[in-house]
């Protein structure tokens, strides 16, 4: 399969389109054929090497923590998903990311992609959606509460506002 692999930490000149081994899922994982992958600010920091003490990767590495695509293989014990399902996935930062033709996604980071959403739209959702939800959950918000969302026009802020609405809280 083809993948965009980071050869060394640094600038964008460190990327190469190369052949990479086909991924094989382990227990609790699926392989997806990647239709679209997201690009987040954290990907820039990882590429530049600012996070290598926290998230070391064996180089060359494939970046990309957000993906949308179609399941092509299931690992042992995977239930609730089937080959052919349209999904979005949040991948670990481990050097086997989404900027490739195929990617491994842990089931814990997988959700079905609604039929009315494109793969491109789906690939923008995992990290920002989880970040917005985690921020609201950390506050212990209850129905009826009013919550100031600074940065509500950004992707994470919009996700937080939507989740607050779902909880019955009011974003201000």
């Amino acid at each position: 399969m083809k993948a965009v692999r980071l050869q060394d930490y640094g600038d964008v000149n460190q990327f190469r389109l190369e052949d990479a081994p086909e991924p094989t899922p382990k227990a609790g994982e699926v392989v997806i054929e990647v239709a679209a992958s997201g690009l987040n600010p954290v990907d820039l920091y990882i590429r530049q090497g600012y996070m290598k003490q926290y998230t070391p990767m064996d180089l060359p590495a494939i970046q990309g923590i957000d993906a949308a695509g179609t399941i092509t293989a299931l690992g042992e014990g995977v239930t609730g998903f089937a080959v052919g399902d349209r999904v979005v996935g949040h991948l670990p930062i481990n050097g086997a990311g989404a900027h490739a033709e195929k990617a491994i996604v842990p089931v814990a980071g997988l959700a079905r992609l609604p039929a009315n959403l494109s793969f491109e739209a789906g690939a923008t959702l995992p990290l920002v959606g989880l970040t917005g939800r985690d921020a609201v959950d950390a506050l212990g918000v209850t129905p009826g509460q009013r919550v100031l969302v600074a940065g509500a026009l950004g992707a994470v802020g919009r996700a937080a506002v939507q989740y607050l609405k779902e909880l019955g809280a009011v974003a201000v």
Side-chain angles (χ1 to χ4, degrees):
M1 80 166 177
K2 293 290 186 186
V4 175
R5 298 202 307 178
L6 181 66
Q7 304 301 308
D8 199 1
Y9 295 108
D11 64 19
V12 294
N13 294 322
Q14 296 299 323
F15 287 121
R16 301 282 182 277
L17 178 62
E18 301 178 327
D19 290 320
E22 290 278 332
T24 303
K26 295 178 183 164
E29 299 175 335
V30 303
V31 173
I32 66 168
E33 182 176 334
V34 177
S37 60
L39 186 62
N40 294 284
V42 70
D43 292 311
L44 170 68
Y45 306 137
I46 292 166
R47 174 185 48 85
Q48 291 174 330
Y50 296 134
M51 304 215 18
K52 64 184 171 184
Q53 65 272 24
Y54 308 110
T55 57
M57 297 185 299
D58 291 330
L59 298 170
I62 303 168
Q63 284 194 270
I65 54 179
D66 288 346
T70 305
I71 295 176
T72 60
L74 304 172
E76 184 180 330
V78 172
T79 59
F81 293 97
V83 170
D85 284 351
R86 289 170 28 104
V87 294
V88 296
H90 179 66
L91 287 69
I93 300 170
N94 63 4
H99 300 320
E101 291 178 317
K102 294 183 180 179
I104 291 177
V105 183
V107 172
L110 198 63
R112 281 195 176 68
L113 179 65
N116 63 339
L117 280 182
S118 68
F119 287 119
E120 294 81 5
T124 68
L125 299 174
L127 182 63
V128 298
L130 289 170
T131 303
R133 184 178 181 127
D134 287 349
V136 170
D137 286 345
L139 295 172
V141 175
T142 58
Q145 277 189 302
R146 295 171 54 89
V147 179
L148 173 63
V149 180
L153 292 178
V156 173
R158 282 182 284 202
V161 167
Q162 290 299 313
Y163 184 46
L164 286 165
K165 182 178 178 182
E166 183 179 316
L167 293 174
V170 178
V172 294

